[in-house]
Amino acid sequence: MTCRELIDFIMEYEDGTLPEKQRVLFEEHLSLCEDCVHYLASYRTAVQLGKSLIMPSNEKVSTQVPEKLIRSILAARQADGTSLTE
Ligand SMILES: [Zn+2]
């Protein structure tokens, strides 16, 4: 699997709809490619931020989320990702 293919499959992987065969290749690539681990981590962060930003009850909060907090979330996520390769 190439990085390009992995990115194409990320949505299905996250939905749990990726067929077993592809999922194995996907995870195999993740174990070899740090770039894609980081990409997946930021994809997840983006999805989570997106979800929290579109929730009406969080409307007030979302406008007040400090950039520093978002960065620390991103950093934590990336730390999670890198630990997968070890
Ligand atoms: Zn890759």
Side-chain angles (χ1 to χ4, degrees):
M1 182 175 287
T2 64
C3 296
R4 184 70 187 271
E5 285 173 323
L6 185 135
I7 288 164
D8 283 347
F9 285 138
I10 272 186
M11 250 203 276
E12 286 173 78
Y13 179 77
E14 289 294 284
D15 285 348
T17 57
L18 196 64
E20 174 79 17
K21 238 186 187 176
Q22 256 84 40
R23 195 171 57 81
V24 170
L25 292 172
F26 188 101
E27 283 169 354
E28 193 180 73
H29 183 95
L30 275 185
S31 70
L32 301 170
C33 181
E34 209 175 306
D35 284 349
C36 286
V37 170
H38 284 232
Y39 186 87
L40 181 62
S42 24
Y43 176 85
R44 284 178 176 162
T45 307
V47 168
Q48 283 193 346
L49 285 177
K51 276 183 189 160
S52 66
L53 291 177
I54 57 172
M55 273 166 71
S57 58
N58 283 348
E59 209 176 318
K60 261 188 187 168
V61 181
S62 70
T63 56
Q64 289 169 359
V65 175
E67 206 192 342
K68 217 175 168 185
L69 179 64
I70 294 173
R71 280 197 191 156
S72 67
I73 294 169
L74 282 169
R77 287 269 145 190
Q78 291 193 344
D80 280 357
T82 49
S83 69
L84 285 173
T85 59
E86 283 167 10

